[in-house]
Amino acid sequence: MKKTKKQLVVRAFTPIAKPLNASIQKNSTMLLLGEIPYINGEKTFNTKVYYIKGLRGMLRHAAMSLAQDCGIEVCHTSEKTELKDGTKLIPNGFHPLGACDTPCILRRIFGSFREESRISVYADPITSISHKEYNTDVAVQRVHILSENRIALSYEGIPIQDFRESYFSGYFTFSIDVTLLTKEEIKFLMESLLYIETLGGGKNAGYGQVKLLDFDLLKIEVIKTVKRNNGIYKVNEEIEAESIEFDEIEDWRTILDALDA
C-alpha cells in the first residue's frame, strides 16, 4: 500500500501551559493516556504519558484572528447570534457558524457542527522523564510536567473546595494534515500560525503563553508491505518526506478574491 499526504509540522515552546481535560472541581488535570516503559542503561522504568488537548482550537482561533486582521468575514464558533437576555455572541467581522451560503475559508478548512473538518491536528503524547539518556518504543515528547493542589474556598483555615491542576513546560511539536486543502487554503493556514499565542486555560494568570519557533510543509510518502516472518505476518512501514516550497505565502488573499469574484 502506498499513500501520499501533506503535513505542516510545527515546533513551539511554552514556559507553562495547562491544556485541561476538564475545568470542573477536582478534575482539572491533563488527560492521562497510561504508562509506557523506557530503558535507561540496563534498567527499565515506567512513565506516564498525557494528551495535549486544545491544539486544534488554538489553531482555529489563530485563523480567526488572521481573517479579522485582513477584513475577511468568516464563521465564528457559535451558531447562535445572541442569548435570551439579548447579549450578542457574534463580534463584528464574523457570522454564525455555518451561516455562509458560499462556505468561507474558515468553514472550508475547519468545517462546522454538520460538516467534517478537512484537516486533522496531531501531536505525540507528552511525558516527563528524569533521565537524560533513554530509549522507548513509543513516540513521545519529553517535557516537564508538574501539578499542584489548589484551594478555591476555605473556612477558618480548613479547605472546603480543593482541586488539583496539571501543567507542562517545554518544547513540543504538532502536525497538521493538510492533504485535502487547496494551495491558497494551505497558505492561509501557514500565515495563521503566526497568530498562535496561547494554549489551554489560565490565561489571566499568565499561563499558556506559546512561542512559535518554526514550521515546515512536507510531502510524506508512506509505503506499507506485509512479509511473513517466524510464522506471523509482519507489517513493514517506510516513510519518505520532502519539503514543499511555496513562494509569497500572503498571495492567498489575491487568489481568494479571484475565487469569490
Side-chain angles (χ1 to χ4, degrees), residues 37-41 133-138:
Y38 72 91
I39 299 173
N40 172 256
E133 302 289 336
Y134 67 93
N135 292 307
T136 177
D137 293 331
V138 181

Side-chain angles (χ1 to χ4, degrees), residues 151-209:
I151 297 174
L153 182 64
S154 64
Y155 177 72
E156 295 183 350
I158 301 174
I160 297 175
Q161 292 181 348
D162 63 323
F163 57 96
R164 188 177 182 86
E165 290 191 323
S166 295
Y167 313 84
F168 84 93
S169 172
Y171 296 89
F172 65 100
T173 300
F174 64 96
S175 61
I176 311 162
D177 191 308
V178 295
T179 306
L180 300 178
L181 299 189
T182 63
K183 183 180 291 187
E184 74 270 7
E185 290 166 350
I186 293 175
K187 289 183 176 183
F188 171 79
L189 210 56
M190 291 172 74
E191 189 172 349
S192 297
L193 294 173
L194 303 180
Y195 286 75
I196 288 177
E197 294 181 345
T198 58
L199 169 67
K203 298 178 181 64
N204 292 338
Y207 302 136
Q209 299 301 313

Side-chain angles (χ1 to χ4, degrees), residues 19 22 33 45 51 67 96 112 116 123 147 154 161 171 178 183-185 194 199 210 222 224-225 234 237 245:
L33 300 177
F45 302 85
Y51 173 69
S112 66
E116 288 189 3
S147 61
S154 64
Q161 292 181 348
Y171 296 89
V178 295
K183 183 180 291 187
E184 74 270 7
E185 290 166 350
L194 303 180
L199 169 67
V210 171
V222 180
K224 292 183 179 180
T225 57
K234 187 175 182 180
E237 184 176 274
E245 295 186 9

Side-chain angles (χ1 to χ4, degrees), residues 230-245:
N230 295 328
I232 62 172
Y233 291 99
K234 187 175 182 180
V235 178
N236 296 320
E237 184 176 274
E238 296 180 12
I239 300 176
E240 296 182 0
E242 61 175 304
S243 294
I244 300 174
E245 295 186 9

Side-chain angles (χ1 to χ4, degrees), residues 205-223:
Y207 302 136
Q209 299 301 313
V210 171
K211 181 179 180 181
L212 188 71
L213 301 175
D214 54 56
F215 60 89
D216 197 6
L217 177 61
L218 300 176
K219 177 183 177 183
I220 299 176
E221 194 171 83
V222 180
I223 301 175

